[in-house]
Amino acid sequence: MNILIVGASGGIGYGFVEILLQDPAIDRVYGTYRRWESAQDLLNLASRYPQRLVCLSMDITQESDLVVALETISHQTRELDLVVNCIGILHRVGLQPEKSLRQINSDRLIEYFQVNSIGAVLLAKHLLPFFSSPRRHVFATISAKLGSIGDNYLGGWYGYRASKAALNMLMRTVAIEYSRKSPQTIVVICDWNIPPGIPGDYGCSCTFVRKCLDRFADFAVHVGIIGIFCWFRNSYHSLR
């Protein structure tokens, strides 16, 4: 099996890569990262698995980056059995979730949509050739419960909520088109819920993941990752 993890240098993506490399049935894992300086753990892991882990620089908001990265992969394999898009942003320096309308800023809203929504559908656009065989394929994207319109009782976090809601609709629409063009491919939206009691920075950064691990003894992150991966393995073998 050949697997692509988009956003492999982040906490969730890196967790996927670690678990996947423990499975001898997986031939090769491709992992993307945006910034070299924040991808050192991933690059060090690649040095331990030089034949099984390939790291690729890619910014999901730049379509040209997607094309180059996937072209590189196509030189080594024509099929991807599983793709997991772990890219997402909630906060960074200069970007914080809005608590009221007074904090709405158009540039920041655009950034939320570029990272959390548009990148995923561009990925779906260029992945289709890798899902052309009669074998089972899975394209999964990490979303969030906060993207649920019906579950929004507290308000706030305008950009993040709206971009995740848009992601859900985009992936639903992708699933409909894939059902015609690649009916053997399953499109999955995975809700990633923030466990209660985690203070402060709720991003899916390595800092956040380490807080989860410290607070919940590996439960919050690793069980979620293992659950998604086990679902994939079960669906892959039962539906192929």
Side-chain angles (χ1 to χ4, degrees):
M1 287 190 288
N2 295 295
I3 294 176
L4 169 61
I5 305 298
V6 181
S9 61
I12 296 174
Y14 185 79
F16 268 114
V17 172
E18 282 191 307
I19 290 173
L20 292 169
L21 289 173
Q22 297 172 24
D23 190 336
I26 294 171
D27 300 305
R28 185 164 291 170
V29 177
Y30 298 91
T32 75
Y33 63 93
R34 186 169 65 90
R35 294 184 295 115
W36 179 86
E37 58 270 23
S38 62
Q40 293 308 299
D41 288 345
L42 178 67
L43 296 172
N44 290 336
L45 191 62
S47 67
R48 291 166 47 196
Y49 297 91
Q51 303 301 318
R52 299 184 61 216
L53 176 57
V54 178
C55 298
L56 302 165
S57 174
M58 188 186 82
D59 184 343
I60 199 171
T61 67
Q62 302 298 317
E63 189 169 5
S64 58
D65 276 18
L66 292 176
V67 172
V68 171
L70 293 177
E71 183 178 357
T72 301
I73 294 174
S74 70
H75 293 322
Q76 300 181 13
T77 181
R78 294 191 300 175
E79 297 180 7
L80 290 170
D81 299 285
L82 169 67
V83 177
V84 183
N85 173 29
C86 304
I87 297 292
I89 188 171
L90 173 58
H91 68 91
R92 59 162 176 75
V93 176
L95 179 70
Q96 295 295 327
E98 311 91 346
K99 295 181 180 179
S100 74
L101 287 169
R102 293 190 304 273
Q103 297 173 326
I104 293 292
N105 175 281
S106 60
D107 290 336
R108 293 170 186 166
L109 286 176
I110 290 170
E111 182 175 356
Y112 274 121
F113 277 87
Q114 283 181 324
V115 177
N116 292 343
S117 315
I118 299 171
V121 75
L122 290 176
L123 191 60
K125 170 185 173 182
H126 292 287
L127 280 172
L128 196 53
F130 291 92
F131 300 149
S132 59
S133 78
R135 294 168 54 185
R136 176 63 60 188
H137 306 275
V138 177
F139 174 36
T141 294
I142 305 295
S143 184
K145 185 179 180 180
L146 290 172
S148 168
I149 294 174
D151 195 58
N152 183 2
Y153 297 104
L154 299 177
W157 294 23
Y158 285 86
Y160 185 78
R161 287 184 185 274
S163 63
K164 288 297 186 178
L167 171 65
N168 295 342
M169 179 57 75
L170 287 169
M171 290 302 99
R172 171 59 179 161
T173 308
V174 166
I176 293 170
E177 183 166 348
Y178 269 31
S179 70
R180 297 191 295 266
K181 295 180 177 178
S182 180
Q184 70 280 10
T185 300
I186 302 173
V187 178
V188 182
I189 301 171
C190 307
D191 277 348
W192 188 263
N193 295 326
I194 298 168
I198 294 292
D201 56 343
Y202 293 141
C204 292
S205 61
C206 289
T207 301
F208 167 73
V209 171
R210 290 191 184 102
K211 285 185 178 182
C212 288
L213 298 182
D214 291 342
R215 183 72 177 270
F216 292 92
D218 291 0
F219 177 81
V221 175
H222 278 187
V223 170
I225 290 170
I226 291 170
I228 295 171
F229 177 58
C230 289
W231 175 88
F232 160 71
R233 289 298 304 273
N234 290 337
S235 66
Y236 180 86
H237 289 297
S238 63
L239 298 175
R240 62 181 302 180

